[in-house]
Amino acid sequence: MSQFPSRHAWRPGATPTKRGPATSHSLIARSGIIALMVACGVAVSDLAEAQQPPAQNAPQQPAQKDPPVLLNADTVTFDQDLGLVTASGNVELSQGARSVRADTITYNQKTKVVTATGNVRLVEPSGDILFSNYAELTDDLKNLFVENIRVLMTDNSRMAGTEGERREGRLIRINRAVYSPCELCKEDPTRAPVWQIRAARVVQDNEEHEVRYRDAFMEMFGVPFFYLPYLSHPDPTVERKSGFLTPSFRNSSELGFGIVSHYYWDIAPDKDATIDFGGYTQQGPYVGGQYRQRFEKGSLQLDGSLTEGEIPNGSVSGANDRRLRGHFFGRGRFEIDDTWRWGFDVKRASDDYYLRRFFNNRDEVLTSRGFIEGFNGRNYAVANAYSFQDLRYGNSVPEPYVLPDARYLAFGEPGSLLGGRWSLNSSLLGVSRIGKDGPNTRRIAMIPGWEREFVSNAGFVTTLSGSVLIAGYNADQFNPVEPTSPGNTNISRLRFFPQAQATVRYPFVRYGESSQQLIEPIGQLTVAPNVGDHTAYPNEDSLDVEFDEVNLFMPNRFTGIDRIDGGSRFTYGLRSSITGYKTGSASVFLGQSIRFSKSSQFQGGSGLEEQRSDYVGRVDLRPASWMDINYGFRIDHDTLDPRRHSVNASVGVPELALSTAYTYVDQTQSRYAIQKDIVEQASFGLSSRFTDNWSISLAHLQAMRPQPGARSSAAILRYQDECLIFETIAQRDYTTTASGQTDGNTLFFRFVFKNVGEFRTPGFSSSFLGATNSNNSSR
């Protein structure tokens, strides 16, 4: 037997020299390369054959495809009689990206088997690491047998089994195996993880990048709760892969019990799809799916479903009709060049209640849009086309088609015109109610403007601005008395409206040791001609007005240009704030406008119908990161009664946090009306993350006026760690449709298992829970 210290390299074809045992090793020798074995068998070739010269004119061997096998160790011994090469002490055997480390590695020249013992660690090209105390490998390291195998995957998931084997460097099969992506307990690593899969056999396919299980039990905290004869999921190296996803379950009084399977189709690197199929006991079969694709300059997403169902059609009688139902959503965005892009959004449903019943989608109006837009410096252009589907029961107002809604906005350089900046806002609008008795409106408008800011040496900041609205209208089936209702008049009208504003601010600023304080009075003079009969023009974009502190100083307090805020007025306000350099801030604003003329274009109850407007203001408080309060208000200028309150507040830390949103709006048009038109409601929320993993959240929506009563409640208990999300979700919907349908109570559980998928239990409805809905309010 020969023994070689690490500072000697063993080259193929060389005859080792017999030496005595090495007595000492330097640090360099211990870490050096001991031998270079080409496919292992080459390094330990027969000594006699190694000494023979190569045959003359021998045919050249083909180039070796596999990389050589390299061996590093402290000591290598060779037993010529038995044909054994034994490496010991920090042994590493590697071939390309695959390597084996162990206390001792022995190669048998006759059987061509490599045996590794003691602290064996095998690193796969995928990055997975296999641990054991004993392993047998073939000389090319592709085939493997391991006892008591443990596997650490690239995402820190773990597998363990009594024995395992690898075939052709592709398949790793583990018998009586356990898999879990959960971290082990630091205090007691022998305890079962949060969840794991225990299977008779696990196969990891490194070509298909898939992990497959046979006779598998899902366990939580070591307790089996679900059996699967077969289960598969992608390994951690896979971002996406075709295959079946976890099915969805549902149970409701209108649909019955339902199960929907999902198949994910990885079509190509730039496109994929999800295909849904299943059915409901009371509705019949269901199909649906989503398609997604990315282009070099754009993206596309389609979503749809189809079923034959019998659900309430929204009539007061509650009659049902059985027919094909479904929905289609589409979204696309595409770049034309560096300036222009185009896109579309399509949303359509077969009937009013389909999305609500099948998807819990509560949208009241579905908006479809197609557009093309361009950005160039300070210029912007867009052309839109809109279509609407109203899902609100009982709404008799016909939804129009809008084609086109085109706009062009341009801004000049600061100081480019009379020391200020010019602007241009132009638009083209076409609104059609074909087959709905009109009115049909066409409008073209142009608003050139100019603005300049002056800052005096005394600290006054003055802003001068002016604009001219030039608009032309053409409408048929127009009703001059009620512009939003159909009529019998055809009109063509031109509007010319100039307007100028001068705004003066005088900010007082004080810098303290820990904060900055600001007091800023603001005054504004608006000069414009009075507006005549506003009902002579169609009204498509100014149907509603919400007067608040945001639009107090705007030239036009209407939402569009079909209604004009005419006449001259003076507007004033006061803003004060204090801001901490490190944390904390508070601000308050109060303002009012006074119109010089008595005529008004605003309806009663808007806060702008009289010469003096209501008082509007806002208070923002954020004394620390754990408190944020925003309060907006409108107060009647004459009686000082509240006309609008809006509060949004959140207080607390992750351990306990409270939130609320309160809205009060007095929409009464006459101040002297006996019956008030008031809308008042509030929402409340409480959340607590009482441990690192557990949290709870509660939410409730309550209406006070005009129809008092609860609207909805929800509670979510959530557990989340590195491998599991578990939620218990309880919901109650108190609303009732006009046909008497109600969603009632729903309770379901949601599990998200890392690498495996999501599972949601059927929703247990009020009929299942034995609850009833009483004192419900109308939808």
Side-chain angles (χ1 to χ4, degrees):
M1 179 180 291
S2 300
Q3 186 181 50
F4 301 92
S6 59
R7 61 176 176 269
H8 289 266
W10 187 10
R11 299 179 178 85
T15 303
T17 303
K18 294 185 178 182
R19 299 170 53 96
T23 58
S24 62
H25 304 284
S26 66
L27 291 176
I28 298 177
R30 290 182 59 86
S31 61
I33 297 178
I34 302 302
L36 174 62
M37 299 192 300
V38 180
C40 287
V42 177
V44 294
S45 59
D46 185 84
L47 296 178
E49 294 178 357
Q51 292 176 346
Q52 294 178 358
Q56 298 294 328
N57 302 322
Q60 186 176 2
Q61 297 294 327
Q64 184 175 334
K65 296 182 180 180
D66 293 333
V69 177
L70 305 179
L71 175 66
N72 291 347
D74 290 343
T75 303
V76 175
T77 60
F78 174 62
D79 191 321
Q80 183 174 350
D81 296 333
L82 299 178
L84 296 177
V85 176
T86 302
S88 59
N90 300 314
V91 187
E92 180 179 0
L93 190 65
S94 61
Q95 182 187 40
R98 179 175 284 123
S99 65
V100 181
R101 289 190 178 187
D103 294 340
T104 302
I105 292 182
T106 301
Y107 174 72
N108 190 318
Q109 178 186 4
K110 298 178 181 180
T111 61
K112 299 188 182 299
V113 173
V114 178
T115 303
T117 58
N119 298 314
V120 181
R121 188 178 72 171
L122 301 94
V123 180
E124 295 291 293
S126 63
D128 295 345
I129 305 175
L130 285 67
F131 299 91
S132 180
N133 285 323
Y134 178 84
E136 293 182 358
L137 305 91
T138 55
D139 55 5
D140 58 1
L141 305 187
K142 291 185 177 180
N143 296 327
L144 164 73
F145 174 81
V146 183
E147 291 182 352
N148 296 321
I149 184 174
R150 303 179 303 279
V151 182
L152 177 63
M153 298 182 175
T154 54
D155 66 340
N156 289 327
S157 299
R158 295 170 175 85
M159 275 197 301
T162 57
E163 59 184 20
E165 60 178 334
R166 180 177 62 212
R167 296 179 179 179
E168 298 300 325
R170 170 187 174 182
L171 297 176
I172 298 178
R173 185 177 65 184
I174 303 175
N175 295 329
R176 293 184 290 279
V178 176
Y179 165 83
S180 178
C182 304
E183 296 181 358
L184 299 178
C185 178
K186 296 180 180 179
E187 290 77 13
D188 184 7
T190 62
R191 288 174 53 186
V194 175
W195 71 268
Q196 63 185 10
I197 301 176
R198 188 180 299 274
R201 175 175 294 177
V202 178
V203 176
Q204 182 177 2
D205 191 328
N206 290 324
E207 285 190 6
E208 296 293 332
H209 298 287
E210 186 178 50
V211 182
R212 298 186 287 267
Y213 303 82
R214 297 284 185 182
D215 294 331
F217 280 92
M218 294 283 291
E219 296 182 355
M220 293 195 68
F221 303 102
V223 178
F225 73 96
F226 196 71
Y227 170 75
L228 292 166
Y230 176 82
L231 173 67
S232 69
H233 63 80
D235 68 23
T237 64
V238 176
E239 293 184 1
R240 60 184 199 178
K241 180 179 176 63
S242 298
F244 284 95
L245 306 177
T246 306
S248 300
F249 301 90
R250 185 174 181 182
N251 182 49
S252 71
S253 58
E254 290 80 19
L255 305 179
F257 179 80
I259 178 172
V260 178
S261 297
H262 314 279
Y263 182 81
Y264 177 76
W265 184 13
D266 183 13
I267 304 173
D270 61 336
K271 61 178 72 74
D272 64 5
T274 304
I275 303 171
D276 306 330
F277 54 93
Y280 296 85
T281 57
Q282 298 181 16
Q283 298 298 318
Y286 168 93
V287 294
Q290 303 85 39
Y291 176 81
R292 297 162 291 269
Q293 183 172 359
R294 286 193 175 274
F295 303 90
E296 184 178 355
K297 292 185 177 181
S299 63
L300 174 67
Q301 180 172 336
L302 307 176
D303 186 344
S305 67
L306 185 67
T307 186
E308 184 179 12
E310 182 176 336
I311 58 179
N313 59 13
S315 64
V316 177
S317 63
N320 297 343
D321 59 334
R322 189 173 188 86
R323 56 187 172 87
L324 286 176
R325 305 172 186 273
H327 86 284
F328 176 78
F329 289 177
R331 176 183 172 87
R333 297 290 185 271
F334 305 94
E335 295 182 8
I336 301 174
D337 52 32
D338 293 340
T339 301
W340 293 95
R341 71 172 184 174
W342 70 278
F344 63 87
D345 293 281
V346 178
K347 292 184 178 181
R348 276 293 183 270
S350 59
D351 48 81
D352 295 351
Y353 292 97
Y354 178 80
L355 293 176
R356 175 172 178 167
R357 293 304 184 205
F358 281 83
F359 300 98
N360 197 30
N361 185 320
R362 303 304 179 93
D363 290 345
E364 295 184 338
V365 177
L366 301 181
T367 302
S368 298
R369 173 197 180 211
F371 70 92
I372 180 172
E373 63 182 353
F375 305 83
N376 186 2
R378 293 181 173 84
N379 305 328
Y380 173 70
V382 62
N384 296 290
Y386 289 97
S387 175
F388 307 95
Q389 182 182 3
D390 195 338
L391 305 182
R392 294 170 294 183
Y393 173 76
N395 183 23
S396 59
V397 178
E399 295 297 331
Y401 299 96
V402 180
L403 178 67
D405 176 17
R407 302 171 186 273
Y408 174 72
L409 293 87
F411 293 90
E413 292 279 353
S416 59
L417 179 63
L418 301 177
R421 183 175 68 179
W422 61 267
S423 64
L424 177 65
N425 186 348
S426 58
S427 63
L428 180 65
L429 178 67
V431 179
S432 176
R433 296 175 175 87
I434 299 175
K436 301 178 181 179
D437 300 327
N440 304 312
T441 305
R442 278 76 59 187
R443 185 193 73 196
I444 183 172
M446 182 178 298
I447 308 176
W450 175 85
E451 181 180 280
R452 181 178 178 180
E453 184 176 88
F454 301 86
V455 180
S456 69
N457 294 332
F460 288 95
V461 180
T462 303
T463 303
L464 300 179
S465 62
S467 64
V468 178
L469 168 62
I470 306 171
Y473 289 86
N474 177 266
D476 56 74
Q477 302 183 59
F478 175 67
N479 184 350
V481 178
E482 179 53 58
T484 60
S485 301
N488 300 316
T489 304
N490 298 335
I491 64 166
S492 294
R493 289 191 172 89
L494 180 67
R495 167 175 279 172
F496 180 84
F497 181 76
Q499 191 176 45
Q501 282 187 310
T503 306
V504 180
R505 299 181 290 116
Y506 194 72
F508 296 89
V509 181
R510 177 181 178 273
Y511 298 96
E513 295 182 357
S514 59
S515 63
Q516 170 185 306
Q517 300 175 30
L518 168 70
I519 298 178
E520 183 181 45
I522 306 172
Q524 181 185 79
L525 178 64
T526 302
V527 179
N530 293 326
V531 177
D533 184 11
H534 63 274
T535 60
Y537 297 89
N539 184 8
E540 301 290 353
D541 62 7
S542 303
L543 296 177
D544 194 15
V545 177
E546 183 176 352
F547 177 50
D548 55 23
E549 73 282 355
V550 176
N551 59 9
L552 174 64
F553 289 98
M554 287 185 178
N556 186 18
R557 271 82 65 93
F558 285 101
T559 55
I561 61 174
D562 288 342
R563 293 292 177 265
I564 299 299
D565 191 358
S568 299
R569 65 180 184 269
F570 177 72
T571 307
Y572 64 93
L574 178 67
R575 178 182 293 111
S576 179
S577 68
I578 179 170
T579 304
Y581 295 141
K582 294 183 178 180
T583 184
S585 64
S587 65
V588 60
F589 173 81
L590 180 66
Q592 184 190 36
S593 68
I594 301 174
R595 194 172 56 253
F596 298 154
S597 61
K598 294 183 179 181
S599 62
S600 173
Q601 310 297 320
F602 296 94
Q603 65 181 7
S606 65
L608 293 166
E609 66 273 18
E610 299 186 3
Q611 283 188 269
R612 288 194 303 161
S613 75
D614 289 345
Y615 299 102
V616 293
R618 182 178 180 87
V619 178
D620 295 301
L621 297 175
R622 189 178 173 85
S625 60
W626 50 267
M627 177 181 288
D628 191 357
I629 301 175
N630 312 111
Y631 169 54
F633 58 89
R634 177 162 65 89
I635 300 174
D636 190 286
H637 70 278
D638 189 14
T639 64
L640 299 183
D641 292 334
R643 302 300 299 269
R644 179 182 61 85
H645 291 304
S646 177
V647 179
N648 290 276
S650 61
V651 180
V653 293
E655 289 74 16
L656 181 62
L658 302 172
S659 63
T660 184
Y662 171 78
T663 301
Y664 171 95
V665 180
D666 185 353
Q667 304 175 111
T668 308
Q669 295 193 9
S670 174
R671 181 179 290 107
Y672 308 104
I674 299 175
Q675 185 69 29
K676 299 290 186 179
D677 183 9
I678 297 176
V679 176
E680 184 179 14
Q681 70 176 22
S683 63
F684 308 91
L686 182 147
S687 64
S688 174
R689 184 176 178 180
F690 49 90
T691 70
D692 291 339
N693 303 114
W694 286 94
S695 63
I696 187 173
S697 59
L698 306 173
H700 179 74
L701 178 62
Q702 181 77 24
M704 282 73 81
R705 284 184 280 187
Q707 295 180 346
R711 293 293 181 262
S712 63
S713 300
I716 301 176
L717 178 65
R718 180 184 178 96
Y719 173 88
Q720 180 176 3
D721 60 22
E722 76 284 352
C723 65
L724 172 70
I725 298 176
F726 167 70
E727 291 180 337
T728 300
I729 303 174
Q731 298 174 332
R732 182 166 187 181
D733 191 335
Y734 299 87
T735 60
T736 304
T737 65
S739 59
Q741 297 293 321
T742 179
D743 290 342
N745 301 328
T746 304
L747 173 68
F748 61 91
F749 304 94
R750 177 173 175 259
F751 299 84
V752 181
F753 300 99
K754 180 181 177 181
N755 296 337
V756 174
E758 177 179 342
F759 174 79
R760 179 179 295 192
T761 66
F764 303 107
S765 62
S766 57
S767 59
F768 181 88
L769 298 173
T772 59
N773 257 356
S774 60
N775 194 27
N776 292 340
S777 54
S778 300
R779 177 173 180 254

